[in-house]
Amino acid sequence: MALEHAILVSLLEKPASGYELARRFDRSIGYFWTATHQQIYRVLKRMEDDGWVDARDVPQQGRPDKKEYSVADLGRAALSSWLHDPIEPESVRHDLAVKIRGAAFDDPTALIREVERHRQAHRDRLAHYLAGQARDFTGPKAPTAGAQAPLDAERELQHAVLRGGIAYERMMIDWLDDVLATLARFGPGR
Amino acid sequence: MALEHAILVSLLEKPASGYELARRFDRSIGYFWTATHQQIYRVLKRMEDDGWVDARDVPQQGRPDKKEYSVADLGRAALSSWLHDPIEPESVRHDLAVKIRGAAFDDPTALIREVERHRQAHRDRLAHYLAGQARDFTGPKAPTAGAQAPLDAERELQHAVLRGGIAYERMMIDWLDDVLATLARFGPGR
DNA sequence: TCCTTCTATGCAACTCGTTGCATAGCAAGC
DNA sequence: GCTTGCTATGCAACGAGTTGCATAGAAGGA
């Protein structure tokens, strides 16, 4: 399980309330990890009980108070220990792949619209990533003085993960094009 | 949930016992869907109760008897209905991406070995896929007579899914190369 | 004024998925 | 004779994740 660790990383990047974390999980972090607000609140409570995070009540104007969490020493230690622990390469779950193989026992051409829909979703996400990349990762880079110029690890690694997301979406779009071409060969009649 | 549907597809391709299904889920189907034998036995029992599959006791020599399942009419109907139902584009879960972003708050270079390990796992899987492709999807294709020659939908779609797996592994290997280059830039000292 | 939407947190119930363990027959090697 | 390993099925317990619902203040539009 790594929801705790994903939350720790997110809180290290910037302290937040459960609600704000949930929105981050709908956005940037959600690109490689999803979680509902329910899960987040439950896990945050457990993490607070375990002393991984500190909570601080923040009164707000014009909206309900929030509890802002930040990472405590124990949380940092837990993250570090997890980082040094090897994990198994992820196992994949692709509903769409099941559908594509299943289509052989139904009408393959009926799947075309569905695959097109998914391709569009991946195109949208790709556009979103590319916009984020242009916004956050272009312009003045690290000072070009010495070869050993200090690099901002946080920023560099966020960019590396984003490049992974971009590569993934491009791969998916290409593959779905391939699938559509395969489906088209079965012709309208059948 | 689509474990039921993955099982239906697998049983349509070839009837099997729970044990055999579990092994398939470790192999070809496992490339895009994983399941333990526990899950499979439980779901199979439910599917049998619901009339989706028929069970048949098969006595064997030199090994325990097995229960061979095949898809019933109700199961075919359930699969067809699911195939016509739109599904949400999958949400991703990438432990490794969490680790990479988290490495910014620890020692980034300590992650190099882990990333290399994952890259090797993806290389192994790619080699496995390519071998499977060479074995099952080369040689005599559909008769090249007419443009409208009858295609074997099952085989064509299995191949399309396999091509997806190959594209995925290639993408991952390239991305992990990219990540390693990024990590290397932080240098041995820190 | 009422209705909807947004921020913000949370409980309860349920399903899904994993882990550990148990059973049982047979084969192969030490 | 004993252990190990493979086929084959299954229970029990737990942990992870989802869905539905509840509360509550404030903003904004019909």
Side-chain angles (χ1 to χ4, degrees):
Chain A
M1 224 294 284
L3 177 55
E4 279 103 327
H5 306 110
I7 288 177
L8 285 173
V9 171
S10 192
L11 290 180
L12 280 169
E13 290 176 354
K14 194 168 193 299
S17 69
Y19 187 82
E20 286 162 348
L21 277 174
R23 281 193 310 177
R24 283 189 206 167
F25 274 81
D26 282 340
R27 296 158 179 272
S28 65
I29 308 168
Y31 300 155
F32 52 88
W33 203 274
T34 53
T36 61
H37 76 280
Q38 275 313 318
Q39 259 179 287
I40 291 167
Y41 281 122
R42 210 189 314 161
V43 171
L44 270 178
K45 177 162 278 180
R46 188 173 67 224
M47 289 167 78
E48 193 186 354
D49 290 344
D50 292 347
W52 288 21
V53 293
D54 295 319
R56 189 171 68 92
D57 278 314
V58 179
Q60 296 187 110
Q61 289 182 336
R63 57 181 65 175
D65 298 354
K66 66 176 181 179
K67 274 173 82 176
E68 194 179 79
Y69 292 90
S70 49
V71 178
D73 289 344
L74 272 174
R76 247 181 189 276
L79 180 66
S80 177
S81 145
W82 176 70
L83 285 172
H84 287 82
D85 235 42
I87 49 172
E88 284 310 299
E90 359 62 62
S91 47
V92 197
R93 294 228 160 159
H94 258 281
D95 292 72
L96 196 56
V98 178
K99 276 201 174 191
I100 290 165
R101 271 174 81 151
F105 306 97
D106 203 76
D107 175 10
T109 59
L111 208 63
I112 290 176
R113 292 183 64 117
E114 174 85 336
V115 174
E116 284 172 343
R117 221 168 44 80
H118 281 251
R119 184 179 56 176
Q120 190 55 47
H122 287 286
R123 282 179 178 162
D124 291 347
R125 258 197 259 175
L126 175 60
H128 193 91
Y129 289 4
L130 290 174
Q133 181 173 237
R135 185 180 1 94
D136 301 330
F137 299 107
T138 50
K141 285 218 158 188
T144 46
Q148 230 43 6
L151 291 166
D152 184 357
E154 190 179 328
R155 183 181 148 95
E156 286 286 318
L157 292 173
Q158 279 181 5
H159 192 187
V161 170
L162 180 58
R163 287 197 301 272
I166 290 168
Y168 177 76
E169 299 304 332
R170 288 204 166 121
M171 181 277 298
M172 285 298 290
I173 292 164
D174 288 346
W175 175 55
L176 293 178
D177 281 340
D178 175 8
V179 170
L180 283 170
T182 305
L183 288 172
R185 266 189 285 144
F186 293 107
R190 186 202 153 88
Chain B
M1 228 295 285
L3 177 55
E4 279 103 326
H5 305 110
I7 289 177
L8 285 173
V9 171
S10 192
L11 290 180
L12 280 169
E13 291 176 354
K14 194 166 192 300
S17 70
Y19 186 82
E20 286 162 349
L21 277 174
R23 282 193 309 176
R24 283 189 207 167
F25 275 80
D26 282 341
R27 295 158 179 272
S28 66
I29 307 167
Y31 299 155
F32 53 89
W33 203 272
T34 53
T36 61
H37 76 280
Q38 273 315 315
Q39 259 179 287
I40 291 167
Y41 281 123
R42 211 191 314 163
V43 171
L44 271 177
K45 176 163 279 179
R46 189 173 66 224
M47 289 167 80
E48 192 186 354
D49 290 344
D50 293 346
W52 288 21
V53 294
D54 295 319
R56 191 171 65 93
D57 278 315
V58 178
Q60 297 186 112
Q61 290 182 335
R63 55 181 65 174
D65 297 355
K66 65 176 181 180
K67 273 172 82 175
E68 193 178 81
Y69 293 90
S70 49
V71 178
D73 289 345
L74 272 174
R76 247 179 189 277
L79 181 66
S80 176
S81 145
W82 176 70
L83 284 173
H84 287 83
D85 235 43
I87 48 172
E88 284 309 300
E90 1 61 62
S91 48
V92 196
R93 294 229 160 158
H94 258 282
D95 292 73
L96 196 56
V98 178
K99 276 201 174 191
I100 292 166
R101 270 174 80 150
F105 306 97
D106 203 75
D107 175 11
T109 60
L111 208 62
I112 289 176
R113 292 183 64 117
E114 173 86 335
V115 174
E116 283 172 344
R117 222 169 44 80
H118 281 252
R119 185 179 56 176
Q120 191 54 48
H122 287 288
R123 281 179 179 162
D124 291 347
R125 258 196 259 175
L126 175 60
H128 193 91
Y129 289 5
L130 289 174
Q133 181 173 237
R135 185 182 359 94
D136 301 330
F137 299 107
T138 50
K141 285 217 158 187
T144 45
Q148 231 42 8
L151 293 166
D152 185 356
E154 190 179 328
R155 184 180 146 96
E156 287 285 319
L157 292 174
Q158 280 181 4
H159 192 186
V161 170
L162 181 57
R163 288 197 300 272
I166 290 169
Y168 176 75
E169 299 304 331
R170 289 204 165 120
M171 182 277 297
M172 284 298 289
I173 293 164
D174 288 347
W175 176 56
L176 293 178
D177 281 340
D178 174 9
V179 170
L180 283 170
T182 305
L183 288 172
R185 266 189 285 144
F186 294 107
R190 185 203 152 85

